[in-house]
Amino acid sequence: MLDVKKIRLILELRESGITDAKILSAIEKIPREKFIPENFRNQAYDNLALPIGDNQTISQPFVVAKMTQLLELESKHKVLEVGTGSGYQSAVLSKLARRVYTIERIKNLSIKAENIFKELKISNIVTKYADGNLGWKEQIPFDRIIITAATSNISKEISSQIDEGGIIVSPINSKNKQIIIKYKKINNVLESETYDDVLFVPNLSGTQ
Ligand code: SAH
């Protein structure tokens, strides 16, 4: 049953402009149901954001795929993610990059995600319980940074921790909505391009 739904989801993503075969294959390989509470598992392959507890959500598969595609990942890349949440986006990234460093400000979610990575034997994700807007200075510079909680601006720490030529993808608050923005660091300046409207939980400071 889940398999039929999974194939349908992959086709839907392809029709929505996710053309990178490696990304579609990563989504096919990662069991999204593992990252979802039991009572929502039958919806694991619906193209929907779903609750994961602690008032947070696992992102919609299209948004995961779209943001991943905008990152233009290469297998040698070192990636930072702000907002581990369920861990699903990190797991998708782990199939496409060398190493993923992921930060979550809610301890319970960080621990749960780490346990799922262990269960799935994913060994190239490193988790941290902290305020992700401060980045991860012991691991700089990053080739790519993805922020998966809506913010009004990219923190100065994050801007300084991306390598020259690197890409940051984040939902950004803009008037009454949120849009995905892709930034590229060129000559030490972040140049931006605007993409789809999205709906993310807010990016909050501090830990809980
Ligand atoms: N990438 C996640 C999306 C989860 S929702 C997934 O695939 O499931 C966004 C997550 O970002 C939430 O868990 C929220 O607690 C976390 N978050 C919000 N602000 C943060 C911050 N400043 N630092 C770290 N995590 C943050």
Side-chain angles (χ1 to χ4, degrees), residues 32 35 50 52-60 64 81-93 102-107 109-110 128-135 146-151 200-208:
R32 191 170 184 255
F35 298 86
L50 294 167
I52 54 169
D54 295 284
N55 281 325
Q56 305 303 323
T57 52
I58 178 172
S59 308
Q60 183 193 5
V64 170
E81 179 190 33
V82 175
T84 314
S86 67
Y88 178 69
Q89 171 81 70
S90 330
V92 170
L93 297 172
T102 184
I103 311 178
E104 171 56 53
R105 64 179 292 281
I106 299 177
K107 193 168 198 176
L109 293 177
S110 180
K128 178 167 165 169
Y129 162 58
D131 179 348
N133 293 327
L134 304 174
I146 178 169
I147 300 173
T148 65
T151 184
F200 274 90
V201 294
N203 184 321
L204 303 172
S205 299
T207 52
Q208 108 185 27

Side-chain angles (χ1 to χ4, degrees), residues 188-206:
N188 221 21
V189 175
L190 290 182
E191 297 194 351
S192 65
E193 275 175 31
T194 298
Y195 292 88
D196 311 51
D197 291 10
V198 279
L199 197 55
F200 274 90
V201 294
N203 184 321
L204 303 172
S205 299

Side-chain angles (χ1 to χ4, degrees), residues 37-132:
E38 242 161 74
N39 48 330
F40 288 105
R41 282 204 181 142
N42 60 341
Q43 288 172 275
Y45 294 99
D46 290 349
N47 198 2
L48 293 174
L50 294 167
I52 54 169
D54 295 284
N55 281 325
Q56 305 303 323
T57 52
I58 178 172
S59 308
Q60 183 193 5
F62 171 70
V63 173
V64 170
K66 178 74 191 190
M67 291 177 82
T68 305
Q69 188 159 277
L70 289 175
L71 281 175
E72 299 176 29
L73 289 169
E74 292 172 26
S75 54
K76 61 176 188 204
H77 282 161
K78 186 164 148 183
V79 183
L80 174 67
E81 179 190 33
V82 175
T84 314
S86 67
Y88 178 69
Q89 171 81 70
S90 330
V92 170
L93 297 172
S94 78
K95 296 279 175 225
L96 302 160
R98 181 164 57 89
R99 199 164 288 278
V100 179
Y101 294 86
T102 184
I103 311 178
E104 171 56 53
R105 64 179 292 281
I106 299 177
K107 193 168 198 176
N108 183 33
L109 293 177
S110 180
I111 294 169
K112 268 204 266 181
E114 191 171 2
N115 286 335
I116 302 170
F117 303 147
K118 276 197 195 118
E119 186 192 334
L120 297 178
K121 298 192 165 55
I122 299 175
S123 55
N124 61 338
I125 303 179
V126 190
T127 60
K128 178 167 165 169
Y129 162 58
D131 179 348

